[in-house]
Amino acid sequence: GDSVTQTEGLVTLTEGLPVMLNCTYQTAYSTFLFWYVQHLNEAPKLLLKSSTDNKRTEHQGFHATLHKSSSSFHLQKSSAQLSDSALYYCALSANYGNEKITFGAGTKLTIKP
Amino acid sequence: NAGVIQTPRHKVTGKGQEATLWCEPISGHSAVFWYRQTIVQGLEFLTYFRNQAPIDDSGMPKERFSAQMPNQSHSTLKIQSTQPQDSAVYLCASSLVGRVGEQYFGPGTRLTVL
C-alpha cells in the first residue's frame, strides 16, 4: 500500500536559520504529494501540493520539489520565523480516482528566538 | 463561508457507551472525509464519501465504527461500545470533487472515553 515517511519527529531551530523537513514516499501509482501544516489548537491546512516531477512549488515562503526518481518531497524555507512553529505533515494521494490522503507521522517544528 | 462545522467539539463517554459525531461540510463540497488524530498514530484516514456515496472505508475499524452521509449537508461518524483506545480527535474534511488533496478541515471533535 501507499506510505509516507517523515524521518524527523521533532525539529528545533533558531529563528533565521534555514528549514528542511524530509519526506519520502512509496506508491505504485502516479501521485499527488502535499504538505499540510497544523498550528497549535488549529485544524490542518494545505500548504503545498505537487504532482509534477522536478518542478518547484512555493507558498507562504515555503517550497518543495517533487523528485520521482528518489520518491522525495522535502519541505524547505530559507529563513525560519517564530510563527513557523507547528506540526507539518507530508502526505500523498494516489492519482487513480480515490481521493483519500495518506499522511506521514508528522514533524513538530519548533522555532526558538 | 463558515468552513467545515463539527459538533460537538468535546465529548466524554463512559466505556461501552455510544458516541455520534457530526460534520457539516462546506456548501458545494461533495467529497467528505473522516480522519482520526492521536499523538501516537498521527493523522489516520478513516473513510470518505463522494456525492454522498461511500467510496473508501479502508481505515474504519470494522466492528464498532460506522459512517453515513444521508444528505449533502451532513455526515455522521458513530462509534458503538466506545473503548478508551477510541479517545482521539476526530477530524472531518471536505473538498470539491476532483480537487485532490485540497481538503478543508473542521476543528475536530475531541472524544474522551473514560
Side-chain angles (χ1 to χ4, degrees):
Chain A
D2 300 335
S3 67
V4 178
T5 301
Q6 295 180 250
T7 52
E8 311 105 343
L10 296 168
V11 172
T12 302
L13 292 171
T14 301
E15 187 179 18
L17 291 181
V19 177
M20 181 163 171
L21 306 184
N22 291 315
C23 173
T24 56
Y25 64 93
Q26 283 190 311
T27 179
Y29 302 93
S30 174
T31 188
F32 289 93
L33 268 293
F34 316 97
W35 278 98
Y36 271 80
V37 58
Q38 185 176 24
H39 288 93
L40 189 63
N41 297 323
E42 294 185 8
K45 293 179 183 177
L46 180 64
L47 180 60
L48 294 173
K49 171 183 176 179
S50 180
S51 63
T52 306
D53 197 14
N54 297 318
K55 181 179 177 182
R56 176 170 160 145
T57 302
E58 298 189 47
H59 186 60
Q60 296 182 340
F62 288 91
H63 63 92
T65 302
L66 176 58
H67 292 295
K68 293 185 179 180
S69 60
S70 57
S71 299
S72 67
F73 190 58
H74 306 318
L75 182 68
Q76 298 182 70
K77 187 178 185 184
S78 59
S79 176
Q81 298 177 293
L82 295 175
S83 58
D84 294 331
S85 294
L87 187 54
Y88 291 81
Y89 287 102
C90 184
L92 71 79
S93 186
N95 187 13
Y96 58 88
N98 186 325
E99 298 168 82
K100 79 173 190 181
I101 292 179
T102 299
F103 286 88
T107 297
K108 183 177 180 181
L109 177 64
T110 301
I111 308 300
K112 299 195 298 185
Chain B
N1 191 332
V4 175
I5 298 171
Q6 290 190 249
T7 55
R9 294 293 309 276
H10 302 273
K11 186 169 183 67
V12 179
T13 65
K15 183 178 175 180
Q17 293 184 326
E18 182 177 288
T20 300
L21 313 181
W22 295 73
C23 171
E24 180 179 331
I26 292 172
S27 178
H29 283 193
S30 298
V32 175
F33 305 81
W34 284 96
Y35 297 90
R36 176 168 62 183
Q37 185 174 32
T38 61
I39 292 174
V40 173
Q41 298 292 335
L43 264 173
E44 299 176 279
F45 168 80
L46 294 176
T47 187
Y48 99 94
F49 299 84
R50 184 192 302 146
N51 297 319
Q52 298 173 236
I55 302 299
D56 186 329
D57 67 353
S58 58
M60 292 278 272
K62 294 305 180 189
E63 291 188 350
R64 300 181 292 106
F65 284 60
S66 62
Q68 294 184 331
M69 191 161 184
N71 58 60
Q72 64 185 7
S73 64
H74 91 272
S75 175
T76 58
L77 179 68
K78 183 181 291 186
I79 308 172
Q80 294 180 310
S81 186
T82 54
Q83 303 297 311
Q85 61 265 29
D86 299 331
S87 296
V89 176
Y90 290 83
L91 291 162
C92 177
S94 71
S95 73
L96 293 168
V97 170
R99 302 306 296 260
V100 179
E102 296 176 26
Q103 296 181 15
Y104 294 79
F105 282 78
T109 295
R110 181 175 295 278
L111 176 67
T112 302
V113 182
L114 301 176

